Amino acid sequence: MQNSEKSQSYYRRKLTANKMKRLILNERKRLKFLIKFLKFAMFVGICALGIFILKLPSWHINQTHLKEAQPWVLNIEGNVVTPTYKIVDVIRQTELEDVGLYRLDIKQLEKNIESLEAIKNAHIRRFWLPARFYIKIDERTPVFVIAPNNETPPIASITSDGIYLGRDYMPISPRFKPTKILSYGAKGDEYENWDKVRTKELIKLTRTIKAHSKQEIEYIDLRNPEDIWIKLSDYLIHFGKLNSTAIKRAQSIESIFSGIEQIPNKKDIIHIDIRLDDSKYLKMKQRMGQQTFAPTDSKMSQNPRKIASVVSPQI
């Protein structure tokens, strides 16, 4: 009797345990199904939300406001030399697709902006809410400004890589500290056609003169390319021709200035003549009973001598 009761009790406990296991397994299956369903529902919801967001009108840039260069649609930075209106004109002439910003191809617009003479690189960033363009401009550096005479404002500029900038880019900001060149654009030396080699030649000359004279260049007179004049802060230099000895003659300015310090009447100096390789002269005002001195190379001449009269250019 006892064995029968024990056996029934054992089977009852085992049956209860099996029921509990089945309940647990069923709950786990339902939980897994619920989790999968929620994941699927979230996925569908996110996709639907994404499609809804991507179709919002705020993704489309307002073409009218863009062409009007409204500040909430277009922001341009970095254009110091290039007038903003020239960049806006390029944007107006560029056909943009009426699609969302994320699908808009801006490579052609960047390329068109870079076609402007003063612009080296243009990078466009797109922003949402509201849809707008941020254009970052990287410009070329103007190193020379061109004028027909010293009284006339510059009418053109030349960049460090030999690119000609016309009147549309004038005036050039003083922050670039460009060297002024007087030129008529004489035949054979038209500044519109200067290339990188010609520009680098002039840059090297100006840097050499500044380094050895310790003075700023007010202008370089290239109206006669065969007979160049250079005006420094304190002195006028009759430089002559820009040839293979030009840099050597420019370097000699340092020794000439050292010799000038020995002259008591420096204010009487009209100009310094360094056209010749082996002789350097000073043209001075003639005074009664006074001689004109000529420093040669690094030493003052031991025998003062008169210098032939040389007519200075009308600047």
Side-chain angles (χ1 to χ4, degrees):
M1 187 71 177
Q2 291 180 353
N3 290 335
S4 177
E5 289 179 356
K6 288 181 180 180
S7 177
Q8 289 178 0
S9 176
Y10 168 77
Y11 285 116
R12 281 195 299 269
R13 289 196 302 270
K14 190 173 182 180
L15 182 61
T16 302
N18 289 336
K19 286 182 179 180
M20 291 298 296
K21 286 181 180 181
R22 285 195 298 270
L23 288 173
I24 293 172
L25 289 175
N26 290 335
E27 288 299 324
R28 286 179 177 177
K29 287 180 180 180
R30 282 194 293 270
L31 183 60
K32 287 181 180 181
F33 175 79
L34 181 60
I35 291 173
K36 289 180 179 180
F37 176 78
L38 290 176
K39 285 182 178 180
F40 177 76
M42 289 176 63
F43 174 77
V44 173
I46 291 172
C47 290
L49 180 62
I51 293 172
F52 173 76
I53 292 174
L54 292 177
K55 287 187 175 182
L56 287 174
S58 55
W59 279 106
H60 293 252
I61 196 162
N62 190 306
Q63 299 282 346
T64 302
H65 292 170
L66 179 64
K67 292 178 179 180
E68 292 175 353
Q70 298 293 349
W72 58 84
V73 174
L74 181 64
N75 185 12
I76 303 173
E77 289 189 2
N79 58 315
V80 179
V81 179
T82 308
T84 300
Y85 77 85
K86 293 182 77 70
I87 300 175
V88 174
D89 284 345
V90 170
I91 296 174
R92 288 171 179 166
Q93 296 170 17
T94 303
E95 291 293 332
L96 296 175
E97 294 182 85
D98 188 18
V99 295
L101 285 178
Y102 57 92
R103 294 177 54 197
L104 190 61
D105 184 10
I106 58 174
K107 294 297 182 183
Q108 186 59 48
L109 179 57
E110 289 178 336
K111 185 177 180 181
N112 292 348
I113 294 174
E114 290 170 358
S115 67
L116 294 173
E117 296 89 342
I119 296 179
K120 187 187 299 182
N121 294 302
H123 179 66
I124 301 177
R125 297 181 64 187
R126 294 166 285 186
F127 291 91
W128 182 46
L129 291 178
R132 62 194 186 277
F133 284 155
Y134 170 81
I135 304 178
K136 178 64 177 176
I137 301 296
D138 180 19
E139 293 184 308
R140 293 181 169 90
T141 303
V143 290
F144 299 114
V145 289
I146 312 295
N149 55 64
N150 199 31
E151 288 73 32
T152 304
I155 59 175
S157 176
I158 307 295
T159 66
S160 58
D161 52 353
I163 301 298
Y164 169 79
L165 306 179
R167 292 178 183 269
D168 291 346
Y169 295 92
M170 298 297 108
I172 297 298
S173 172
R175 62 181 282 188
F176 293 104
K177 298 181 179 179
T179 300
K180 191 173 188 179
I181 291 182
L182 308 184
S183 175
Y184 296 135
K187 188 176 181 180
D189 192 40
E190 297 89 347
Y191 49 78
E192 297 96 334
N193 300 327
W194 285 359
D195 56 9
K196 187 179 292 187
V197 175
R198 175 66 167 170
T199 305
K200 285 189 175 182
E201 185 181 41
L202 290 171
I203 291 175
K204 185 176 181 181
L205 176 65
T206 56
R207 287 177 177 174
T208 302
I209 291 174
K210 288 180 180 180
H212 289 273
S213 69
K214 305 297 188 295
Q215 294 188 23
E216 292 297 319
I217 298 176
E218 291 187 10
Y219 61 77
I220 299 176
D221 190 347
L222 280 176
R223 289 175 290 189
N224 180 1
E226 300 296 319
D227 190 25
I228 300 172
W229 292 76
I230 300 174
K231 179 65 173 70
L232 302 180
S233 301
D234 297 332
Y235 301 107
L236 179 64
I237 308 293
H238 194 176
F239 192 81
K241 191 174 182 179
L242 188 59
N243 53 21
S244 58
T245 65
I247 298 302
K248 182 179 179 182
R249 285 184 282 127
Q251 292 171 343
S252 69
I253 292 177
E254 184 172 0
S255 59
I256 293 173
F257 280 16
S258 298
I260 289 176
E261 293 301 318
Q262 303 178 35
I263 299 177
N265 53 338
K266 292 189 285 293
K267 292 183 179 180
D268 291 340
I269 297 174
I270 298 175
H271 68 255
I272 303 169
D273 193 329
I274 61 173
R275 289 175 293 172
L276 303 177
D277 298 340
D278 53 354
S279 299
K280 313 294 185 293
Y281 297 97
L282 296 182
K283 174 64 167 58
M284 303 185 70
K285 295 178 182 178
Q286 296 290 331
R287 291 188 178 184
M288 190 65 67
Q290 289 187 350
Q291 298 278 3
T292 336
F293 292 85
T296 58
D297 297 331
S298 61
K299 297 181 180 179
M300 292 294 295
S301 175
Q302 299 298 324
N303 298 315
R305 49 198 171 106
K306 282 189 177 182
I307 303 175
S309 177
V310 183
V311 179
S312 301
Q314 296 295 327
I315 305 301

